[in-house]
Amino acid sequence: MRAQKNILYVRRGVGSLTQRNWPGQRLIGVHDGYGPFSTLPSAPARSKNFGSTRLYSQSTVSGKLKMPSDDSCWHRAFIALGSNLGDRVDAIERACREMERAGIRVKRTSSLFETAPMYVIDQEHFLNGVCEIETTLKPIELLDTLQSIETALGRYKTIDKGPRVIDLDILLYDHDIMSHPRLNIPHKLMLEREFVLRPLCQLIPHERSPLPGMNLTYLSQLNSLPPPEAAPVVTTPLSSFLPPLRPSKPNRQTHVMAILNLTPDSFSDGGKHSPTDLPDLTATVRGFISSGATIIDVGGESTRPNATPVTEEEELSRVILAIRHIRASVPEAAKVAISIDTSRARVAAEACAAGADIINDVSAGMLDPEMLSTMARIGKPVILMHMRGEPTTMTKLAHYPNGAVPSIASELLARVQAAQEAGIRRWRIILDPGIGFAKTQLHDLAVLREMQKLRTNIDGLDNFPWLVGASRKRFIGRITGVSDASQRVWGTAAVVTASVAAGVDIVRVHDVAEMCQVTKMADAIYRY
């Protein structure tokens, strides 16, 4: 039999919790979850009423207490994630995978924030986040599981609050209050830790601590803390050989994504590049890289309005050979990322196996029911773009009676939620407002004007990196009077500058050399 441990285990219902009145609460008792009741040293040896809740001790209950009859039910908990040694992102993602292997459902994750160390300051910066989980494990069982994961991933505690490969802390478990020699719920220090509250507020900003007398929401509690000396920096990994995106860092560099269309019918460069003309492919890629592109977006199917769909096999034949060639035969490409522009799960999977680092889906997973789960399984960064319908129908769906920007925000939020439900980590998601997709010229201009609002003022869309792809598009030609798409360089430059000013992290362009110069100048003005 397990050794008895002193524990105060409180199970809360819904509603605020105060010392005088705990409405609708259900108190399990003083119990270790396995053996008989025991009394904490500070607990009175009698029952005590708090509103409709009764606090039981050994004097009022005899014998063993069985946990609720719904032992197999799922409980909601929140786990703090942290690492400051080695490959920090990899350690956190491995921990999430190990939780899932242990039967713990990782439902949602926060962004990852790079933060300065607290308490013991002579150590490397941390990556911190929070995940929401569902588990059938009781709190101590959950603690045991998390600690075994920490050990398996190489954590050996030498200094309290010192460096660690991985740190997994239980912050909340349902609405319970628990005091135990090994575990306190809520976590004792969570309300003083900015690096815990900030990611937690991405998940449950308007909930409150179950502790008596704690009336502030987590968001209000976060806002009441003094600002940290060094602002936390949102971190979105791109690849193992590129620095991560840092959308909250004011002086970050804008990334230029070079468009490599291997299609005969794209709207401005159809037929220019062939997947079988390897010398031309090599020269093109080298030109992109020497001009300053850090990402090359490879596409095998046109997504222009009314484009004729191609078969999956045709798309694969266009992109896989090209990606393999870039990775194997263009040494300069060793330090750039390749993204695969596709809406098909199989194409995404085979492209990543061939060497792609990012999945760029204009449909955000809506055109292939296997796409989101495939993205989650592969674990690469993903770009989720706003679109309605498909290329053959999207122009008929450009109606936004509630306003383009609010509707785009709402629909992107729904795609983010679907992505997280499929297992895609929030820190792997990049968003794209979808300029020109199911939008009129007025809608495109409204998005560009309000890009800053989309980035920072919409609940649930904060702290994501953003991409804008407006290069050579029709609305630019209409406004500037340039009918030849390949000549819309100046109009594209204006849109790229506006995007940088609005805080966009990646611009997707055809005219790579020119737009690299534009982003350098715009960065010098707006990113300092």
Side-chain angles (χ1 to χ4, degrees):
M1 180 179 291
R2 290 176 182 258
Q4 181 174 310
K5 300 180 179 69
N6 292 330
I7 180 170
L8 174 62
Y9 185 46
V10 182
R11 187 171 184 82
R12 278 193 71 213
V14 177
S16 62
L17 183 66
T18 63
Q19 190 168 359
R20 294 183 179 177
N21 181 28
W22 297 0
Q25 309 305 313
R26 182 163 62 94
L27 186 62
I28 301 298
V30 185
H31 186 251
D32 67 357
Y34 303 98
F37 277 109
S38 65
T39 306
L40 287 170
S42 59
R46 57 184 176 82
S47 67
K48 185 174 182 179
N49 286 315
F50 288 90
S52 60
T53 302
R54 184 174 292 272
L55 182 63
Y56 293 105
S57 70
Q58 186 69 51
S59 63
T60 59
V61 178
S62 58
K64 292 186 178 181
L65 173 70
K66 289 185 178 180
M67 298 300 283
S69 58
D70 57 348
D71 269 353
S72 61
C73 71
W74 291 91
H75 302 277
R76 185 179 75 153
F78 292 85
I79 310 299
L81 312 165
S83 174
N84 77 332
L85 292 177
D87 187 334
R88 300 171 299 173
V89 174
D90 180 65
I92 289 171
E93 292 188 330
R94 286 172 64 197
C96 290
R97 291 194 295 271
E98 290 302 319
M99 282 192 274
E100 289 175 332
R101 287 192 184 100
I104 299 167
R105 298 172 181 169
V106 178
K107 299 293 291 181
R108 292 188 295 161
T109 58
S110 70
S111 303
L112 290 179
F113 294 85
E114 187 170 67
T115 60
M118 192 175 180
Y119 309 115
V120 179
I121 62 174
D122 186 20
Q123 57 180 317
E124 297 298 320
H125 280 48
F126 281 84
L127 278 186
N128 292 111
V130 170
C131 65
E132 177 184 356
I133 66 164
E134 288 183 344
T135 180
T136 58
L137 299 175
K138 299 180 181 70
I140 296 298
E141 293 173 326
L142 177 59
L143 176 65
D144 289 338
T145 300
L146 297 181
Q147 289 182 341
S148 69
I149 291 172
E150 290 177 332
T151 301
L153 295 183
R155 178 177 179 183
Y156 300 98
K157 190 170 182 179
T158 56
I159 302 173
D160 186 35
K161 300 181 177 63
R164 71 289 308 265
V165 171
I166 190 67
D167 191 18
L168 304 174
D169 286 336
I170 302 172
L171 301 176
L172 300 164
Y173 184 96
D174 288 335
H175 291 282
D176 296 358
I177 299 172
M178 175 176 173
S179 179
H180 183 278
R182 293 180 59 204
L183 178 64
N184 288 283
I185 299 176
H187 191 285
K188 273 188 173 181
L189 301 177
M190 62 178 285
L191 297 181
E192 71 180 45
R193 292 179 170 179
E194 201 269 0
F195 64 84
V196 170
L197 286 176
R198 186 168 297 278
L200 182 65
C201 283
Q202 289 188 312
L203 303 178
I204 50 170
H206 305 300
E207 293 191 23
R208 292 173 169 82
S209 170
L211 292 171
M214 300 301 297
N215 295 320
L216 291 179
T217 65
Y218 293 120
L219 182 59
S220 297
Q221 182 67 31
L222 173 64
N223 292 334
S224 72
L225 296 178
E229 291 185 11
V233 178
V234 181
T235 300
T236 298
L238 276 179
S239 70
S240 59
F241 40 83
L242 275 181
L245 298 175
R246 292 186 168 97
S248 63
K249 190 174 182 180
N251 62 348
R252 67 196 183 279
Q253 174 188 341
T254 303
H255 286 263
V256 173
M257 173 187 279
I259 298 170
L260 182 58
N261 283 327
L262 303 173
T263 54
D265 58 341
S266 291
F267 79 93
S268 79
D269 59 353
K272 184 177 180 180
H273 304 296
S274 167
T276 59
D277 189 345
L278 300 184
D280 172 75
L281 195 61
T282 299
T284 298
V285 170
R286 284 177 172 162
F288 289 161
I289 296 168
S290 65
S291 296
T294 51
I295 307 169
I296 298 172
D297 192 44
V298 179
E301 181 177 30
S302 175
T303 54
R304 63 176 173 79
N306 301 310
T308 302
V310 301
T311 66
E312 185 173 81
E313 294 301 327
E314 177 66 23
E315 186 181 0
L316 283 166
S317 72
R318 293 173 179 176
V319 299
I320 300 303
L321 178 63
I323 293 171
R324 287 176 179 162
H325 176 73
I326 294 169
R327 282 291 175 234
S329 304
V330 186
E332 298 91 336
K335 294 185 178 181
V336 300
I338 295 175
S339 63
I340 175 63
D341 180 3
T342 185
S343 297
R344 291 187 170 108
R346 181 186 166 200
V347 175
E350 294 196 21
C352 289
D357 306 283
I358 303 166
I359 301 170
N360 180 13
D361 182 4
V362 298
S363 78
M366 291 193 296
L367 296 183
D368 185 337
E370 300 300 318
M371 178 58 101
L372 293 182
S373 60
T374 298
M375 288 174 165
R377 176 176 54 81
I378 294 171
K380 301 284 189 182
V382 302
I383 300 169
L384 305 180
M385 195 193 79
H386 176 268
M387 184 176 74
R388 290 176 172 179
E390 55 190 46
T392 57
T393 62
M394 63 184 179
T395 56
K396 301 174 184 178
L397 302 174
H399 303 288
Y400 300 93
N402 296 321
V405 172
S407 299
I408 292 165
S410 175
E411 291 167 26
L412 273 176
L413 276 169
R415 299 317 301 157
V416 169
Q417 180 179 353
Q420 293 218 80
E421 289 174 353
I424 300 170
R425 310 306 181 208
R426 183 185 175 97
W427 56 76
R428 288 286 184 182
I429 297 175
I430 301 164
L431 298 179
D432 180 345
I435 299 291
F437 287 80
K439 297 170 187 69
T440 66
Q441 176 179 309
L442 291 177
H443 298 146
D444 289 333
L445 293 173
V447 169
L448 291 169
R449 291 188 193 107
E450 298 190 53
M451 192 65 228
Q452 178 73 12
K453 177 181 177 181
L454 265 176
R455 285 186 58 249
T456 61
N457 294 345
I458 306 293
D459 285 345
L461 293 184
D462 57 305
N463 292 308
F464 282 110
W466 286 79
L467 177 150
V468 164
S471 180
R472 299 182 179 179
K473 289 201 171 173
R474 184 177 301 176
F475 79 104
I476 295 174
R478 286 174 177 165
I479 292 170
T480 61
V482 179
S483 58
D484 183 349
S486 66
Q487 299 302 308
R488 296 171 185 164
V489 180
W490 299 110
T492 298
V495 174
V496 166
T497 301
S499 299
V500 173
V504 165
D505 300 276
I506 305 170
V507 290
R508 181 179 181 272
V509 299
H510 299 85
D511 303 292
V512 178
E514 294 86 347
M515 294 311 122
C516 282
Q517 292 184 34
V518 170
T519 57
K520 285 179 182 177
M521 196 66 228
D523 281 349
I525 297 169
Y526 299 108
R527 307 275 173 91
Y528 58 90

